[in-house]
Amino acid sequence: MKGRKTDLGQAGCAVARSLDIIGDWWSLLIVRDALAGSQRFGQFQKNIGLAKNILSSRLKKLAHADIFTIEEDGGSPAVHRYVLTERGKRLAVVIIALWQWGEENCFGPGELEFGLADKTSGKMLAKLEIKTIDGKRISPVDLEIFLKPKASVI
Amino acid sequence: MKGRKTDLGQAGCAVARSLDIIGDWWSLLIVRDALAGSQRFGQFQKNIGLAKNILSSRLKKLAHADIFTIEEDGGSPAVHRYVLTERGKRLAVVIIALWQWGEENCFGPGELEFGLADKTSGKMLAKLEIKTIDGKRISPVDLEIFLKPKASVI
């Protein structure tokens, strides 16, 4: 990453360490596509419009980070499917947070014609809510965060 | 962005358009710091360990995208405070999603000693939950998303 002085992978901050693994925006767009069902190189390429060499290197990096497993497609070792691992699937909440922020802040009224929905039930997804551990909802406008020792929870 | 063939800012996908505005990982680490109270150039620089010229260009870009406003500090036009706008504060949910993913997937047991908490109440933040619009909780492991026309909600 340009300008990096610190190794984010070793950082004691969970945001920094996540960013180091996911790597760059393309990685998240690839995961977005996989959450919508894409598994083949050509599908990712068509949907994201990314140069083949860069897509290839990102998929390899994501497989190395255990976000995808690479499986043979139809018994041919030359054709692969890129399948999200559980660790990869858990990125859904990051994708949903980004979608919902963009929906609210980057489109004019009526401009975005689609919303995120759950394929199994067909229902739209609800807006993610920030809550404290005792269930109190906090508006992001009122939120200031701090790092609290986990031991203090006990 | 290296390898980009498409203009993400014009994309009809809320994830892509968000990523285009937030720009790169550094931008999110700057927002993370601001959510924890940082407002001054030196604070961001110390906490993130980013080269001054890059930090400066990212802060300008974020101010241009209405994530921060730049205010004079103590009446001196030479000293600035970078204050999150409402639009910027609403990125909290993205930061929390990244933190929680990292916490769960990038640290060994007991390695991460701190958790995210709300400064006002002092309480730890709960894990973000994915739900459909009728309140049903979905595990990310079971989730496949699709884009549904918003008109169909009515």
Side-chain angles (χ1 to χ4, degrees), chain A residues 76-90:
Chain A
S76 163
V79 189
H80 300 127
R81 289 190 306 136
Y82 298 86
V83 181
L84 282 174
T85 60
E86 286 214 4
R87 179 184 167 94
K89 285 181 178 172
R90 286 195 288 260

Side-chain angles (χ1 to χ4, degrees), chain A residues 44-94:
Chain A
F44 293 118
Q45 223 257 316
K46 184 180 161 218
N47 295 337
I48 304 173
L50 184 57
K52 284 183 182 176
N53 59 332
I54 297 183
L55 175 58
S56 175
S57 78
R58 288 306 177 279
L59 282 168
K60 274 183 198 150
K61 190 182 166 191
L62 290 170
H64 185 255
D66 190 28
I67 304 294
F68 284 100
T69 53
I70 304 179
E71 299 179 3
E72 283 184 16
D73 191 10
S76 163
V79 189
H80 300 127
R81 289 190 306 136
Y82 298 86
V83 181
L84 282 174
T85 60
E86 286 214 4
R87 179 184 167 94
K89 285 181 178 172
R90 286 195 288 260
L91 280 168
V93 70
V94 176

Side-chain angles (χ1 to χ4, degrees), chain A residues 125-137:
Chain A
L125 297 183
K127 198 171 163 188
L128 294 169
E129 292 182 339
I130 303 170
K131 290 181 179 172
T132 51
I133 208 156
D134 55 349
K136 191 168 165 268
R137 193 175 156 188

Side-chain angles (χ1 to χ4, degrees), chain B residues 41-58:
Chain B
F41 192 93
Q43 291 175 304
F44 293 118
Q45 223 258 315
K46 185 180 161 216
N47 294 338
I48 304 173
L50 182 57
K52 283 183 183 176
N53 59 333
I54 296 182
L55 175 58
S56 175
S57 79
R58 289 305 176 280

Side-chain angles (χ1 to χ4, degrees), chain A:
Chain A
M1 211 171 351
K2 207 177 159 191
R4 184 194 295 185
K5 280 184 169 178
T6 45
D7 180 354
L8 293 183
Q10 291 308 310
C13 163
V15 174
R17 206 176 284 192
S18 298
L19 296 182
D20 193 60
I21 287 198
I22 308 166
D24 64 2
W25 295 142
W26 296 121
S27 302
L28 272 183
L29 291 179
I30 293 167
V31 173
R32 173 206 67 180
D33 244 46
L35 283 169
S38 291
Q39 292 191 328
R40 290 177 179 78
F41 192 91
Q43 291 175 305
F44 293 118
Q45 223 257 316
K46 184 180 161 218
N47 295 337
I48 304 173
L50 184 57
K52 284 183 182 176
N53 59 332
I54 297 183
L55 175 58
S56 175
S57 78
R58 288 306 177 279
L59 282 168
K60 274 183 198 150
K61 190 182 166 191
L62 290 170
H64 185 255
D66 190 28
I67 304 294
F68 284 100
T69 53
I70 304 179
E71 299 179 3
E72 283 184 16
D73 191 10
S76 163
V79 189
H80 300 127
R81 289 190 306 136
Y82 298 86
V83 181
L84 282 174
T85 60
E86 286 214 4
R87 179 184 167 94
K89 285 181 178 172
R90 286 195 288 260
L91 280 168
V93 70
V94 176
I95 302 286
I96 294 167
L98 280 167
W99 176 281
Q100 294 181 340
W101 186 81
E103 190 173 29
E104 199 171 275
N105 296 282
C106 309
F107 287 84
E111 188 188 353
L112 187 62
E113 293 167 22
F114 297 91
L116 285 187
D118 164 39
K119 208 170 260 182
T120 308
S121 67
K123 303 270 187 195
M124 289 281 187
L125 297 183
K127 198 171 163 188
L128 294 169
E129 292 182 339
I130 303 170
K131 290 181 179 172
T132 51
I133 208 156
D134 55 349
K136 191 168 165 268
R137 193 175 156 188
I138 311 173
S139 160
V141 176
D142 300 326
L143 178 68
E144 194 170 339
I145 53 180
F146 76 105
L147 296 180
K148 185 173 175 175
K150 291 192 170 200
S152 65
V153 182
I154 302 163

